[in-house]
Amino acid sequence: MELQITWFVLWAVLWAVYFMLDGFVLGTGILHNVLARTDGEKRVLINTIGPVWDGNEVWLITAGGATFAAFPTTYALMFSYLYTALLLLLFALIVRGVSFEFRGKIEGDGWKSAWDVAIQVSSFLPALLFGVAFGNIFMGLPMDAAGYHGSLVSLLNPYGLLTGVLFVLLFTVHGALYLAVKTVGDLSARAKSLADKTWPALLVVAVAFLAYTKFATKLFDNYLSTPVLFIVPLLAVAALLATRILSARGATLASFAASCVTVLMVVATGVTGLFPNLIPSSLDPNFSLTIYNSSSSPYTLKLMTIVAFIFVPIVIAYKIWVYRIFRAPVTEAEVLGDKHAY
């Protein structure tokens, strides 16, 4: 396998794992003021993600670092063309992290209410912006030899916004199922009920997204030229259906696992259709950024491959250990009795 293809696959895996892990954190934040009815319940929600949320960002940093090192031209032009959108995304992620830490520093209704709003907004905004960004990448950016001809407003086109709504609903259901697993009693039941009620809207938007993708992008070209690839979106659809079926049977943990597979396969569906492009040009395919015209030298890619095959398994082993240590559900009594809890 060519090194460019190896790094395209690794790049896709890093983004997919990031969305699978941070997706339920974003979903938990979106539901922060919807699901929790008391201050104690809000603290429970934060503590379900407290031990893992910052570790999940490692995958985002690694995905960005892999783009920088393996495909530097794409990295440079992406940050130049989408500077304002990416800056908004970065600020939202910073505010989210600060909100988790600062909410419990002062005992006051006004103080906590302000951070509660910050948690919800700074979780909703990244989910929406990630979807808008990937929707526009799937569709192609208006760029040619003279550079980028779009703006922040032009990114908010119907297909980009539809992809944004898909990400928001996907992460909302994902987060609700995570909370159903990680909490107990009435809070867990409400989380499961909310996931079940949100799932039909997710299904409708997912169907609309697939239909719109046929007309707004060229993602289906790879699937039509190599029909065996259709197994990727079919697995995404099967996992999405399994999420609801398993939840209806009361198998909440299995339903959450199916939701994880759904997120992974949705990302896989997009990047499989994108190959070998990283950012297609909507004006002229000759100006598309591909894994071949924007990659680092073979020596750099070879060195990066050796480093990746040594350290990525270590990161995976560490993440498995962390999730195993903190696998037990979080209770309100436990949170109120721990002075170190959020």
Side-chain angles (χ1 to χ4, degrees):
M1 184 183 292
E2 298 177 41
L3 286 172
Q4 287 95 338
I5 297 177
T6 300
W7 273 96
F8 181 80
V9 173
L10 283 172
W11 174 79
V13 168
L14 290 170
W15 276 111
V17 174
Y18 168 68
F19 284 132
M20 180 186 75
L21 295 178
D22 207 34
F24 65 73
V25 177
L26 292 170
T28 297
I30 291 170
L31 297 173
H32 183 71
N33 291 319
V34 177
L35 203 57
R37 295 174 177 171
T38 64
D39 179 64
E41 289 187 346
K42 290 178 179 177
R43 290 188 63 190
V44 168
L45 296 196
I46 297 173
N47 278 277
T48 61
I49 54 178
V52 297
W53 76 267
D54 49 354
N56 293 342
E57 302 307 300
V58 169
W59 294 93
L60 175 63
I61 295 169
T62 309
T67 310
F68 168 75
F71 308 110
T73 306
T74 295
Y75 181 90
L77 294 180
M78 179 178 70
F79 271 83
S80 175
Y81 296 165
L82 307 179
Y83 184 78
T84 306
L86 291 175
L87 207 59
L88 283 173
L89 179 62
L90 183 62
F91 282 144
L93 290 174
I94 291 172
V95 170
R96 184 186 62 159
V98 171
S99 302
F100 292 150
E101 299 294 336
F102 275 39
R103 184 183 183 277
K105 297 298 183 185
I106 297 176
E107 288 297 330
D109 292 341
W111 174 267
K112 289 188 174 181
S113 295
W115 288 115
D116 287 339
V117 173
I119 288 172
Q120 192 165 30
V121 173
S122 62
S123 298
F124 171 82
L125 202 56
L128 181 70
L129 289 175
F130 272 127
V132 170
F134 272 84
N136 278 277
I137 289 173
F138 293 157
M139 194 167 55
L141 296 181
M143 56 187 188
D144 56 20
Y148 179 56
H149 300 281
S151 65
L152 178 63
V153 175
S154 68
L155 295 175
L156 303 176
N157 54 72
Y159 183 74
L161 288 173
L162 179 64
T163 313
V165 173
L166 174 68
F167 272 46
V168 169
L169 290 173
L170 191 63
F171 294 159
T172 300
V173 171
H174 197 40
L177 288 170
Y178 174 78
L179 291 173
V181 173
K182 287 290 292 180
T183 58
V184 297
D186 186 49
L187 184 56
S188 174
R190 271 184 273 140
K192 180 182 176 301
S193 174
L194 197 146
D196 291 345
K197 291 175 180 174
T198 309
W199 185 88
L202 172 60
L203 179 65
V204 170
V205 172
V207 171
F209 170 77
L210 285 174
Y212 202 172
T213 296
K214 174 70 174 68
F215 302 101
T217 76
K218 296 181 179 178
L219 292 186
F220 281 110
D221 289 359
N222 284 345
Y223 293 102
L224 294 173
S225 62
T226 312
V228 69
L229 293 177
F230 272 109
I231 192 169
V232 178
L234 287 175
L235 283 173
V237 173
L240 180 60
L241 295 174
T243 299
R244 182 67 182 87
I245 293 169
L246 290 167
S247 179
R249 293 179 179 176
T252 310
L253 181 59
S255 177
F256 174 67
S259 180
C260 290
V261 176
T262 303
V263 175
L264 290 173
M265 298 316 297
V266 165
V267 177
T269 298
V271 297
T272 300
L274 200 61
F275 179 85
N277 293 308
L278 291 165
I279 304 179
S281 168
S282 61
L283 301 178
D284 185 343
N286 291 321
F287 294 99
S288 295
L289 294 170
T290 73
I291 62 172
Y292 299 111
N293 66 15
S294 69
S295 70
S296 294
S297 68
Y299 177 76
T300 301
L301 293 177
K302 185 177 180 180
L303 198 62
M304 288 173 57
T305 304
I306 294 171
V307 172
F309 276 91
I310 293 173
F311 288 101
V312 171
I314 295 175
V315 173
I316 293 173
Y318 172 74
K319 295 298 296 184
I320 292 173
W321 177 76
V322 168
Y323 277 93
R324 179 171 173 73
I325 291 294
F326 294 102
R327 65 184 182 280
V330 178
T331 66
E332 192 166 339
E334 178 189 345
V335 170
L336 295 177
D338 183 359
K339 64 179 182 180
H340 298 297
Y342 284 92

